[in-house]
Amino acid sequence: YKHAYHELLLADMGDRVAKLQAGETPAADVTVPESHALLTALAERGIALYLASGTDVGYVKQEAAALQLAHFFGPHIYG
């Protein structure tokens, strides 16, 4: 089941991440509106931020980087 899940996930995520990395899609087009501003404000206040997902950590880190979100979470990205 996990293998089938990853195949479906990568079919959707892979194209999105490739377009983000190539600069074809801006991160703002595929994130919650104002999410970068909110995360910036929280980080500026010294609040520790954590990103957790039910997806394997490698995929979570890859997509967070493509969405320009990884720097908000540093080592606290979990899958």
Side-chain angles (χ1 to χ4, degrees), residues 21-77:
Q21 291 172 333
E24 296 173 20
T25 301
D29 285 0
V30 291
T31 55
V32 174
E34 300 301 320
S35 58
H36 280 83
L38 173 62
L39 291 169
T40 298
L42 293 170
E44 287 174 349
R45 288 169 175 76
I47 297 171
L49 302 173
Y50 296 79
L51 175 59
S53 174
T55 304
D56 286 358
V57 70
Y59 299 123
V60 179
K61 288 181 177 183
Q62 180 184 19
E63 192 162 17
L67 291 168
Q68 301 169 9
L69 297 173
H71 68 280
F72 290 114
F73 304 100
H76 303 294
I77 298 177

